[in-house]
Amino acid sequence: MKATIAVLPGDGIGPEVTRAAVEVLRAVARKDGGYQFSFVEHPIGGAAIDACGEPLPAQTLAACRSADAVLLGAVGGPKWSDPDAKVRPEQGLLALRAALGVYANLRPVRVHPRLASLSPLKNDKLHHVDMLFLRELTGGAYFGAKTRSADDASDECRYSVAEIERVARRAFALARLRRKHVTHVDKANVLETSRLWRSTVARVAQEFPDVTLEHQLVDSMAMLLLTRPSAYDVIVTENLFGDILTDEAAALAGSLGLLPSASLGDGKAGLYEPIHGSAPDIAGQGLANPLGAILSAALLLRHSLELEYAATDIEYAVDRVIERGVLTPDLGGDANTAEVTAAVIDLLGTGECRVAA
Ligand code: NAD
Ligand code: IPM
Ligand code: MN
């Protein structure tokens, strides 16, 4: 099995966690002689602005389009954050998501029992937390028309039925493989776009009579995520709500540094990135938690390369590393990025029992 993976390290801790994920993928290939991964690295975000004046250079995009999958670190940072700047690192990431057509952003959230004590919530609320966010990724306020004058600004939020249908179908199809429950999150008491979401999702639900659907307003959802997180299975929502709620959900898991994501369109190619940002406060110090990026590499193997066994192997190794307490400081440990990565690699291939079960 041969695959080309485009690697976009980006800014801040992006290169540190991306290096960790690539090392794990190389180790997977080494341990199983049947896989041949080739990695092509390209700039994006602030690094690309510095190198060529634009956040998504044509060469980077071309490499991503021709790759089997894209692995990305993070973009952005104080150097490029002037509110009056004409070009921003984040524009590169948004343009890439749009160009690849990856409208469905999967963000799984699980709570490892060993980390439950790190959460600000009572331990007993965290038992059996296992949810999957489906965040719409290429529409809404992120991509609507923008205006700005000296004393006025606007961001248009617009959704079409087709955009809602395709991500909703994906949510129901994924729920079928899980606990068959979908929570759709909106602000239908105020927003017209939310009312279109609500009726469209309800219509799509009829194609999946074995899956239960509930609607939840986003403000109360922000509270419910903390008070009864184990009640949720698949959560589908628009772009901006999904961005905010998933960072909140990361607090349940113990750290923003733990959560992976897969962004998928209609084909097999996908974009894989941890949900965290460039973490300028800890960049360059070896303190970054690489597990979100490493788990994103596992999602890459599962969704783009159909290597389910190898994906589960990485996830199993990550679980064991957490159990053994090899943790970066964000999780209360004193291991560095390289030590956590090495511990994951060490445990690859030891999970046969679980995979076979
Ligand atoms: P952030 O996610 O970078 O950091 C928030 C907090 O979480 C910080 O205290 C940071 O140290 C910590 N953190 C994040 N990832 C961590 C990890 N892997 N290990 C340990 N600690 C970690 O969010 P921010 O500070 O609001 O944003 C910084 C920059 O990142 C901004 O420019 C923003 O636009 C960008 N950003 C990029 C992405 C992306 O590229 N996908 C995502 C979010 C934010
Ligand atoms: C994320 C990030 C991005 C987003 C930013 C950097 C554009 O916060 O991937 O969650 O808002 O989508
Ligand atoms: Mn975000």
Side-chain angles (χ1 to χ4, degrees):
M1 137 57 104
K2 281 190 183 176
T4 301
I5 299 169
V7 177
L8 315 184
D11 309 317
I13 62 168
E16 301 167 46
V17 299
T18 310
R19 193 176 312 125
V22 169
E23 270 178 39
V24 171
L25 287 173
R26 285 194 200 282
V28 166
R30 223 174 21 248
K31 290 193 183 194
D32 185 319
Y35 311 149
Q36 277 180 36
F37 304 143
S38 51
F39 299 94
V40 287
E41 193 171 308
H42 286 273
I44 192 169
I49 293 175
D50 289 354
C52 30
E54 45 184 346
L56 180 63
Q59 275 194 355
T60 299
L61 178 57
C64 294
R65 283 193 200 280
S66 61
D68 296 295
V70 183
L71 185 66
L72 186 141
V75 298
K79 181 175 177 193
W80 308 279
S81 290
D82 176 353
D84 293 321
K86 292 221 164 51
V87 55
R88 302 179 62 92
E90 291 81 358
Q91 291 165 345
L93 178 56
L94 299 182
L96 179 64
R97 289 171 178 170
L100 297 179
V102 288
Y103 58 83
N105 181 225
L106 280 60
R107 296 187 164 191
V109 182
R110 286 181 305 137
V111 180
H112 191 289
R114 164 144 187 159
L115 298 180
S117 60
L118 288 179
S119 168
L121 297 182
K122 290 204 180 77
N123 261 351
D124 59 340
K125 289 212 190 309
L126 295 169
H127 290 316
H128 310 298
V129 170
D130 178 3
M131 48 194 158
L132 174 62
F133 279 87
L134 246 286
R135 169 189 174 193
E136 199 290 327
L137 200 61
T138 52
Y142 277 69
F143 292 92
K146 293 178 190 300
T147 67
R148 169 94 176 264
S149 68
D151 58 0
D152 190 83
S154 71
D155 298 276
E156 182 186 38
C157 180
R158 177 181 279 274
Y159 269 109
S160 70
V161 166
E163 284 176 305
I164 302 166
E165 274 176 355
R166 61 186 183 179
V167 71
R169 280 208 180 91
R170 200 119 192 183
F172 284 101
L174 285 162
R176 257 189 185 157
L177 305 172
R178 298 172 45 99
R179 302 196 303 278
K180 299 190 171 56
H181 190 88
V182 170
T183 305
H184 162 243
V185 178
D186 65 19
K187 185 74 185 167
N189 51 348
V190 175
L191 300 178
E192 207 53 59
T193 40
S194 283
R195 290 191 274 271
L196 184 67
W197 267 81
R198 202 170 266 224
S199 58
T200 307
V201 171
R203 200 171 56 248
V204 171
Q206 291 169 9
E207 299 166 24
F208 300 84
D210 51 326
V211 179
T212 341
L213 168 67
E214 67 169 337
H215 300 282
Q216 191 67 52
L217 294 171
V218 64
D219 45 357
S220 53
M221 185 67 192
M223 181 273 295
L224 291 166
L225 264 183
L226 303 182
T227 53
R228 47 172 208 144
S230 59
Y232 299 100
D233 180 16
V234 171
I235 301 169
V236 64
T237 190
E238 63 129 273
N239 204 343
L240 184 58
F241 297 158
D243 179 46
I244 297 167
L245 292 178
T246 49
D247 268 31
E248 182 188 355
L252 301 171
S255 166
L256 196 48
L258 280 174
L259 264 54
S261 85
S263 304
L264 306 171
D266 288 325
K268 271 217 216 96
L271 167 64
Y272 300 85
E273 44 173 326
I275 82 156
H276 63 73
S278 58
D281 51 337
I282 58 163
Q285 301 168 51
L287 298 175
N289 186 339
L291 295 180
I294 290 171
L295 290 168
S296 300
L299 295 179
L300 182 158
L301 296 177
R302 171 171 299 127
H303 294 287
S304 284
L305 306 187
E306 292 183 329
L307 297 176
E308 176 61 30
Y309 179 90
T312 317
D313 192 23
I314 294 176
E315 290 164 350
Y316 178 87
V318 166
D319 277 354
R320 295 292 84 74
V321 164
I322 293 172
E323 227 161 80
R324 291 177 185 199
V326 187
L327 304 171
T328 40
D330 53 311
L331 293 172
D334 56 8
N336 62 32
T337 310
E339 287 163 346
V340 172
T341 308
V344 172
I345 290 174
D346 244 22
L347 285 162
L348 288 175
T350 62
E352 284 85 354
C353 300
R354 193 183 98 151
V355 174

